[in-house]
Amino acid sequence: MPPPSTDNRILLVLPSWVGDAVMATPALVRIRESFPGAFIGAMARPGIDRLIDGLATPSGQSVIDEFHVVRPSGVMGPKHAASKLRPRCYARALLFTGSFSTALAVRVAGIHERIGYDRDGRGFLLTRRLKPPRAESGGWAVVPAVSYYWHAANALIDPRLPLQLTAPPLDEPRRVRIDLPGGLPVDASMTLPITNADRAEADAVRASAHIAGPTAILNPGGNNPAKRWPANRFAALADHLADQHNLTVLINGSPAEADLCRAISDGARTQPVVLPDHPHSLGSLKALAADARLMVTNDTGPRHIAAAVGTPLVSLFGPTDPRWTTIPVPGSLEVILIADETLPPGEISNDHPERCAIENIPFEAVMSAADGMLMDSD
């Protein structure tokens, strides 16, 4: 049991999605470095705790002291979550999430200071309301998630800083600046720990699937079918990587994406490994990605996992604008392919679902990008 309530007890409400949780890691490390003596707890959805557990500062200090694993959804979800938080007597909470339910849970838990973005009609539940920028159209301006989270961390660290987040200019169709004044420093990076348990799970996958030699990972899923590059092209790419680069190809996906992964493997001549058919978790994926020579992925969480462990990437974007998820990786480690090269930089691909359909990315472009990344890593 931690010591009684003090002002040095901080709760961090972690993002719910895998990719967003990874994009929050620079901010999480910064918070720990700014409060080295604080007791820091984290409210997290199941699985996010395993992804982040073991995260540490460059000096080796653990970032999170305790995880509260909850799903604050449904009518009773916030009350249940609050019951887990209340005994820890947190003085401050920083919400990386933008949902009403997480803000309600923190309020019901009796946490005095509650910092978060004023979205989803939850402003009255917050004591410090951070202000995300609006576009001229009235919708939310394009701001990378890493910048959202870094700005939120700064608000916790220094209450004197402005509440308003600044949107970067849309000068280039693939990326925006994340090192604007008050933004991430140029040497910031996403990091993920790879624990002994992660390595042991990855070894179990390799043994179960008889994986030997160098690997590449294909990630064909996505929470929205419109994000998914065609399965038959992933199958052809698997054959190309096996034939031309002598790689064992792993098809990654969540349990809900197992049928998609099997369809790709069945459509390939070279019989790539279907990871959902073997003991597989976010922990083992971290370790498998760290050892892979390449990942080709849609706009989904494993992209961020791969970036955080240093895996070369080819990332495919259709009607989801890649600038929302600009990440701090060197250009030599990621090639971003977009569906419409002629879309003006000031336009958002989300607003042009047909013009920016992901199937408009040709197979030859993906194959060429993969070949280039593999040659650069030789």
Side-chain angles (χ1 to χ4, degrees):
M1 175 72 69
S5 174
T6 72
D7 287 340
N8 218 22
R9 302 176 61 73
I10 301 169
L11 175 72
L12 305 177
V13 182
L14 300 184
S16 299
W17 295 101
V18 168
D20 286 79
V22 180
M23 289 187 286
T25 57
L28 298 177
V29 171
R30 174 162 166 73
I31 289 169
R32 170 52 81 190
E33 290 180 323
S34 300
F35 300 103
F39 179 86
I40 298 180
M43 187 170 95
R45 290 172 66 91
I48 300 298
D49 58 321
R50 175 66 187 275
L51 184 71
I52 299 297
D53 190 26
L55 183 67
T57 67
S59 65
Q61 184 179 12
S62 180
V63 170
I64 306 297
D65 293 308
E66 181 179 13
F67 285 93
H68 309 281
V69 182
V70 295
R71 286 185 183 273
S73 56
V75 175
M76 299 303 293
K79 182 178 179 180
H80 172 67
S83 69
K84 289 197 170 188
L85 302 175
R86 194 177 295 110
R88 292 303 187 245
C89 302
Y90 291 106
R92 287 177 284 176
L94 175 64
L95 290 90
F96 288 110
T97 54
S99 69
F100 184 91
S101 60
T102 52
L104 180 59
V106 169
R107 174 64 183 87
V108 173
I111 300 174
H112 178 69
E113 185 178 356
R114 303 176 299 277
I115 306 166
Y117 285 101
D118 189 357
R119 300 182 62 155
D120 200 22
R122 66 183 193 156
F124 72 99
L125 296 170
L126 305 172
T127 58
R128 294 194 70 221
R129 302 174 185 87
L130 307 181
K131 300 177 181 178
R134 292 276 189 180
E136 290 183 4
S137 63
W140 301 116
V142 175
V143 177
V146 288
S147 299
Y148 262 102
Y149 301 142
W150 189 264
H151 176 73
N154 285 341
L156 172 70
I157 294 164
D158 187 352
R160 300 168 298 176
L161 293 176
L163 299 177
Q164 179 71 52
L165 177 61
T166 302
L170 302 181
D171 297 330
E172 203 271 333
R174 291 171 179 79
R175 298 178 178 87
V176 293
R177 288 188 60 187
I178 54 179
D179 61 345
L180 296 170
L184 274 73
V186 293
D187 59 348
S189 62
M190 303 185 306
T191 58
L192 282 176
I194 300 176
T195 66
N196 290 335
D198 297 335
R199 294 187 181 92
E201 283 194 8
D203 287 342
V205 173
R206 293 186 185 99
S208 174
H210 306 290
I211 298 170
T215 61
I217 299 176
L218 304 185
N219 196 68
N223 63 334
N224 180 350
K227 292 182 175 184
R228 299 177 182 176
W229 198 52
N232 64 326
R233 298 185 199 175
F234 270 114
L237 183 63
D239 286 340
H240 174 78
L241 294 173
D243 291 339
Q244 301 301 315
H245 298 280
N246 197 30
L247 297 174
T248 298
V249 177
L250 316 180
I251 312 295
N252 176 66
S254 68
E257 296 163 345
D259 287 345
L260 170 63
C261 296
R262 293 185 193 111
I264 292 170
S265 182
D266 290 344
R269 225 180 350 89
T270 51
Q271 297 183 315
V273 174
V274 176
L275 288 180
D277 287 344
H278 302 276
H280 183 42
S281 69
L282 290 176
S284 60
L285 179 59
K286 287 188 288 183
L288 291 169
D291 290 338
R293 291 194 59 201
L294 176 72
M295 178 185 284
V296 181
T297 178
N298 298 327
D299 173 25
T300 188
R303 171 200 175 213
H304 306 91
I305 292 176
V309 299
T311 310
L313 277 164
V314 176
S315 301
L316 314 180
F317 285 84
T320 53
D321 200 289
R323 292 168 294 187
W324 290 104
T325 53
T326 298
I327 52 179
V329 296
S332 59
L333 279 182
E334 182 178 36
V335 173
I336 293 176
L337 298 178
I338 57 177
D340 187 352
E341 298 279 355
T342 67
L343 190 71
E347 295 286 335
I348 310 301
S349 58
N350 303 62
D351 298 331
H352 303 277
E354 294 184 5
R355 182 172 174 178
C356 296
I358 196 166
E359 56 265 28
N360 292 343
I361 301 176
F363 173 79
E364 291 76 15
V366 180
M367 181 181 68
S368 177
D371 289 344
M373 296 298 279
L374 288 167
M375 285 188 290
D376 288 344
S377 63
D378 284 339

